[in-house]
Amino acid sequence: MRSIVLLVVGNAALSYAWLPTVQESPILAGQDVHQAPLIPQDDKNATIRWLPASGKIRGVNLGSQFVIEPWMANDEWNSMGCGKEQSEFDCVSKLGQARANSVWATHWSTWTTKDDIAKMQSYGLNTIRIPVGYWIREDLVYSDSEHFPQGGLAYLERICGWASDAGFDENEQRIREEANLGSFYIIIDLHGAPGAQVAKNSDTGQVKLENLDGLEAMHTDKGFYVDYQYERAYKFLEWMTNIIHTNHNYRNVGMLEVVNEPIQGSNSNTDSLRRNFYPTAWKRIRAAEDAAKPNITPNNRLHIQMMNTKWGSGDPHQYLTDDYFAAYDDHRYLKWSNDNGINSPGTGQTPAAYLKQSCHDDRGGNWPTIIGEWSLSVADNLEWNNPDFAPPDNHVDWYRKWFAAQIQAYEKQNGWIFWSWKANWIGGRNDWRWSYE
């Protein structure tokens, strides 16, 4: 991890200049719904639901904590006995439930630790985004045809508690609250939806599904986008909302993302997503809040997050009748973009092209938008084969500049969350371009 340490240390002054107490957010200035008052001094059980009022979201994803993506956790995946299996569903099917529960318990307890939370804080970060699958609510799983690890909820609660406490005693915590620092802001993201929101992708946790006869088959193009799967998602979101509002360990969870990276394009599935799923999910979350906290104050409601228009599924706001505490998620991986020809052979694929794109990048549109995923990885054909970018240890100075350029672009919006906090042997290499740690 030598190079990422150099990158962080080299940017130490810049990182601490990004702390919320130092730079006031020009985007949030004057927007009352996102500038709720500080935690009341006499209320130890108060929550931090609102976006940081005096600064930007600056955080990391806990990628592969609760939805393992084998491509970024190769050693971990192999040590669990999952080998060439492509997703959690596949590996649990292979190992059997009892064995899977045991190896996943070890993974959940070691992939993200309390020391990790302390290290994140030492880097000046203020937010964590936690991807989860619907199967963390175990009674939603079809036991005759779906196979997922069991027992994850206790570990989710523990991580949220650590992040809310942030390792400070009561007096030091109060000092941070008075300074607008507080603890970590937490976003919980439905990363793996019932039926899978996209086909054949490990980040949904379910590359292979089974039909009702128990025969293995790849899921159809409808997957998530049918009423009975929506209903399972609504039940998950209601349940998660209730936990957030009634369990003290979740007191800093301020945002709930209703589904990660849905299918793209203009088609019946994306139309159903906007017309049916988003408005109904919104109403069900708000009703769950009213049930969990009668007479809930407006600034204690959750932000409800959807992928923004730039994601490519259409405008998520199109059919909403209420947008109080709405939030939007933008994922910006320039390695897979060809905006302004940055990855066109002959004209792009140069360090200068990447820097120029990031320096002028405009991720505006739906407001407020957080760039919820991004990295320092360049196009696949460049990342290890082009001497201008590889090996990365030889180009730390350039990656530091590109890191800063992306940060500046994303802080024109409401901030950023790097993918990911840690990675574990990508393609047989220890690639810190995906690892903030």
Side-chain angles (χ1 to χ4, degrees):
M1 301 301 292
R2 180 179 67 86
S3 292
I4 194 62
V5 171
L6 288 174
L7 180 62
V8 172
V9 171
N11 274 319
L14 183 58
S15 295
Y16 280 95
W18 295 335
L19 285 171
T21 50
V22 177
Q23 177 182 346
E24 184 172 338
S25 165
I27 299 296
L28 293 177
Q31 301 294 333
D32 292 341
V33 298
H34 293 295
Q35 293 203 42
L38 291 175
I39 296 174
Q41 294 293 312
D42 59 350
D43 187 355
K44 295 181 181 178
N45 294 313
T47 54
I48 306 176
R49 304 290 180 214
W50 49 87
L51 292 172
S54 61
K56 298 292 187 178
I57 291 286
R58 297 159 181 141
V60 287
N61 284 274
L62 302 190
S64 281
Q65 173 65 36
F66 295 107
V67 183
I68 301 177
E69 300 184 30
W71 69 270
M72 63 174 288
N74 191 255
D75 274 6
E76 182 82 352
W77 194 241
N78 288 334
S79 73
M80 295 168 70
C82 296
K84 295 183 179 179
E85 301 300 329
Q86 299 178 69
S87 69
E88 295 204 359
F89 185 107
D90 306 351
C91 187
V92 175
S93 299
K94 171 190 174 182
L95 297 180
Q97 195 67 60
R99 175 62 179 155
N101 290 350
S102 176
V103 299
W104 253 268
T106 299
H107 166 75
W108 290 324
S109 66
T110 57
W111 188 257
T112 306
T113 67
K114 192 173 184 179
D115 287 344
D116 286 309
I117 300 296
K119 188 181 289 187
M120 294 172 199
Q121 192 171 52
S122 75
Y123 289 169
L125 300 172
N126 63 18
T127 300
I128 57 173
R129 177 176 181 256
I130 309 178
V132 300
Y134 75 93
W135 55 89
I136 205 167
R137 177 178 173 176
E138 293 168 12
D139 64 350
L140 291 177
V141 176
Y142 297 146
S143 59
D144 60 343
S145 59
E146 293 181 329
H147 311 284
F148 295 104
Q150 298 169 338
L153 183 62
Y155 297 92
L156 176 62
E157 178 180 341
R158 185 169 72 169
I159 288 174
C160 288
W162 287 338
S164 296
D165 295 338
F168 293 107
D169 62 32
E170 183 175 338
N171 290 334
E172 190 168 0
Q173 179 68 15
R174 191 68 68 192
I175 291 170
R176 288 180 63 83
E177 288 165 0
E178 290 174 353
N180 273 2
L181 277 174
S183 308
F184 279 97
Y185 189 80
I186 303 170
I187 300 170
I188 293 180
D189 145 47
L190 180 54
H191 214 73
Q197 65 270 33
V198 291
K200 305 178 185 179
N201 195 322
S202 65
D203 68 9
T204 69
Q206 45 201 314
V207 170
K208 293 179 181 177
L209 299 180
E210 293 176 0
N211 64 25
L212 295 180
D213 295 326
L215 299 175
E216 190 175 271
M218 305 309 293
H219 69 72
T220 68
D221 62 349
K222 283 293 179 187
F224 171 60
Y225 305 94
V226 291
D227 288 345
Y228 77 93
Q229 301 288 27
Y230 284 172
E231 182 61 30
R232 289 205 290 170
Y234 302 146
K235 289 179 177 177
F236 168 85
L237 295 167
E238 290 170 326
W239 172 80
M240 196 76 256
T241 298
N242 180 71
I243 289 174
I244 291 166
H245 280 291
T246 59
N247 186 321
H248 186 63
N249 283 313
Y250 292 81
R251 63 193 179 275
N252 280 18
V253 179
M255 189 174 296
L256 184 59
E257 184 166 10
V258 297
V259 67
N260 178 70
E261 294 190 352
I263 196 169
Q264 297 167 307
S266 178
N267 53 63
S268 61
N269 290 339
T270 53
D271 182 69
S272 173
L273 178 79
R274 300 190 312 277
R275 187 185 300 272
N276 301 318
F277 180 69
Y278 285 152
T280 304
W282 185 284
K283 292 174 183 176
R284 297 276 286 261
I285 289 170
R286 291 295 184 234
E289 289 185 309
D290 291 336
K293 290 283 187 181
N295 302 314
I296 186 172
T297 56
N299 68 353
N300 198 38
R301 290 197 181 275
L302 289 169
H303 288 82
I304 301 174
Q305 190 179 41
M306 298 149 283
M307 297 297 298
N308 69 347
T309 301
K310 281 184 166 63
W311 171 248
S313 300
D315 183 359
H317 188 267
Q318 183 176 0
Y319 296 104
L320 295 182
T321 58
D322 176 16
D323 62 0
Y324 181 80
F325 268 29
Y328 302 93
D329 187 10
D330 179 42
H331 294 179
R332 187 57 164 162
Y333 292 112
L334 287 173
K335 72 179 280 114
W336 293 307
S337 170
N338 199 28
D339 288 356
N340 297 311
I342 63 166
N343 280 313
S344 295
T347 58
Q349 298 205 320
T350 66
Y354 273 79
L355 277 178
K356 182 178 180 180
Q357 180 60 41
S358 291
C359 287
H360 299 283
D361 217 2
D362 179 5
R363 307 309 297 171
N366 303 110
W367 187 91
T369 286
I370 299 163
I371 288 69
E373 293 186 21
W374 61 284
S375 79
L376 289 173
S377 186
V378 295
D380 292 349
N381 67 314
L382 303 176
E383 59 183 355
W384 294 108
N385 299 315
N386 188 301
D388 289 335
F389 298 96
D393 285 8
N394 292 350
H395 300 281
V396 171
D397 287 344
W398 182 81
Y399 282 104
R400 183 184 294 119
K401 291 176 183 176
W402 190 34
F403 181 86
Q406 290 192 74
I407 292 299
Q408 291 180 38
Y410 306 153
E411 293 206 1
K412 294 174 185 175
Q413 308 307 317
N414 283 78
W416 49 269
I417 308 172
F418 189 86
W419 187 277
S420 180
W421 169 243
K422 69 187 296 184
N424 176 268
W425 291 100
I426 298 173
R429 298 179 175 95
N430 199 5
D431 191 352
W432 48 258
R433 289 171 291 191
W434 291 98
S435 172
Y436 202 100
E437 183 185 18

